[in-house]
Amino acid sequence: MLKVAVVCILAWISSTKGADFDVPALYQLTEPVDHSEEPTWDGRKNILFYVDIHSGRIFSYNYNTTEVNYITLDGDVTPVVPAVNNSLLIVGLNRSVLAVEWDGTNELGEQKVLANISEEFPTSRVNDGKADKEGRLWIGTMGYENITAGTVVPNAGIFYKITKDTLEDPTVEIAPVNVSNGLAWNAANDKFYYVDSPTRLIASYDYNDTLGTISNRQVAFDMRDHPELAGHPDGMTIDEDDNLWVALAKGGAVLKINPTNGTLLQVIALPARDITSTMWGGPDLDILFVTTSRIALTDDEKLIYPAAGSLFAITNLKTKGRPVFNADLVDSI
């Protein structure tokens, strides 16, 4: 059943311009959930979709009204990717990829399983994913996670490419991986950036959009070269200048990185320990939406970070993003 909640925290952000400030401005947009993740902007609706992974909830944050809606699926849900068909979302659920009929406002409609993945690792689950320019879905899995202990079964994840023609047999692109996480393409669409979180690296690949292939892996950024940074890279997005904006799980910050020369350009602290992902949105694509988590915090740590688990927005970053690509895996369900 559709659940609705109107969140009034800093609702005036919709009418406030980042240029009104000389420094980045941070806003808490929602009440906390356990593990918010995978923000994605649908400019056709002015809606930001995101998930609360372990509750099975997919949320929508309406930029125009600040209204928050959600639906609930049965299992761990992530990612959520807008589809070419405006009424559909492509969703990872446990170890499957689904088409889900939901516009972010009305009742949950039909659901259809499109593909099953990572069957050789029955305790793994889907994690991060995005569509490329041609509508292909790039999506990865991760090994079993013991949230209390903070451990993940190593080398039990796989990174896939899925097209309309490969739903029955998705293409393995990288294997094995530990925690398949952030991904992004540059403006020229000839570079692909990828995070396997426990490695603390951001990898760069040459990207062939015509063939939909990646090759020639390089290290674009190595957190081990920055002892001042805690945690590990999680989700990320890219701006119009081809700089990466990377969430730091257990690091309490978002990093701005130039991946062509490995330079750390900016560190923005947030009032949460576990920053999970980033996404540009808003009508001008100049708002950085940031998801956070509280699921691994102790009771004492939740008192220190009462806003952890919330969706945040950062403005006045002097740059903006590019439109999100929509997945083209199914015409209708």
Side-chain angles (χ1 to χ4, degrees):
M1 177 180 293
L2 179 71
K3 305 289 185 179
V4 180
V6 178
V7 178
C8 297
I9 301 172
L10 295 169
W12 52 270
I13 187 174
S14 296
S15 60
T16 302
K17 301 298 183 182
D20 295 340
F21 302 93
D22 293 327
V23 296
L26 176 68
Y27 304 88
Q28 180 185 343
L29 300 181
T30 69
E31 297 291 345
V33 298
D34 280 341
H35 194 52
S36 67
E37 255 277 21
E38 285 299 300
T40 186
W41 177 254
D42 192 334
R44 299 167 298 185
K45 303 182 179 78
N46 268 1
I47 281 177
L48 185 90
F49 291 99
Y50 63 102
V51 302
D52 180 15
I53 292 180
H54 303 297
S55 74
R57 291 184 291 177
I58 302 172
F59 288 85
S60 67
Y61 172 82
N62 188 303
Y63 175 85
N64 296 325
T65 67
T66 73
E67 184 176 74
V68 177
N69 297 327
Y70 69 82
I71 55 174
T72 304
L73 304 182
D74 185 15
D76 290 339
V77 58
T78 187
V80 52
V81 181
V84 171
N85 182 327
N86 201 21
S87 66
L88 298 181
L89 299 172
I90 304 301
V91 176
L93 184 69
N94 301 320
R95 290 188 314 284
S96 297
V97 176
L98 280 65
V100 174
E101 192 175 32
W102 191 48
D103 64 0
T105 301
N106 297 307
E107 296 287 336
L108 172 63
E110 299 294 321
Q111 304 174 47
K112 181 180 181 180
V113 175
L114 301 179
N116 295 301
I117 57 178
S118 204
E119 294 179 325
E120 59 266 58
F121 296 114
T123 62
S124 67
R125 66 165 175 84
V126 172
N127 203 40
D128 213 332
K130 290 178 182 175
D132 68 15
K133 185 178 179 181
E134 305 305 318
R136 297 171 289 232
L137 180 68
W138 297 72
I139 189 168
T141 62
M142 58 178 284
Y144 173 75
E145 180 183 23
N146 185 321
I147 295 171
T148 302
T151 59
V152 173
V153 174
N155 297 318
I158 302 172
F159 184 59
Y160 295 92
K161 177 183 64 190
I162 305 177
T163 69
K164 280 184 175 179
D165 296 329
T166 62
L167 295 175
E168 296 295 325
D169 188 20
T171 304
V172 175
E173 294 290 340
I174 307 173
V177 298
N178 302 285
V179 179
S180 187
N181 235 315
L183 57 159
W185 291 263
N186 68 345
N189 209 30
D190 59 7
K191 289 291 183 183
F192 172 73
Y193 301 103
Y194 176 73
V195 169
D196 180 358
S197 289
T199 68
R200 305 191 78 211
L201 303 174
I202 299 174
S204 169
Y205 293 83
D206 292 337
Y207 181 70
N208 185 314
D209 185 58
T210 301
L211 300 176
T213 57
I214 56 175
S215 61
N216 189 28
R217 180 185 183 276
Q218 304 288 324
V219 174
F221 186 78
D222 190 341
M223 282 189 61
R224 295 171 297 182
D225 295 335
H226 295 270
E228 75 278 13
L229 299 177
H232 52 263
D234 204 311
M236 66 181 178
T237 189
I238 196 165
D239 65 25
E240 64 177 356
D241 304 309
D242 283 342
N243 294 313
L244 298 172
W245 295 78
V246 185
L248 281 189
K250 298 186 178 180
V254 170
L255 306 182
K256 179 183 179 181
I257 294 167
N258 181 337
T260 62
N261 59 20
T263 303
L264 177 62
L265 301 175
Q266 190 173 7
V267 179
I268 300 176
L270 280 85
R273 188 194 71 179
D274 297 327
I275 317 303
T276 58
S277 196
T278 59
M279 173 59 63
W280 294 101
D284 297 322
L285 297 177
D286 59 351
I287 298 171
L288 188 70
F289 291 99
V290 182
T291 50
T292 63
S293 175
R294 66 181 181 187
I295 195 166
L297 299 181
T298 65
D299 289 342
D300 287 342
E301 288 170 333
K302 288 177 182 177
L303 295 177
I304 298 172
Y305 302 108
S310 303
L311 172 68
F312 292 89
I314 307 175
T315 64
N316 200 36
L317 291 170
K318 308 292 194 293
T319 187
K320 61 182 181 179
R322 301 193 306 272
V324 172
F325 300 129
N326 300 318
D328 187 14
L329 298 185
V330 62
D331 295 324
S332 61
I333 56 176

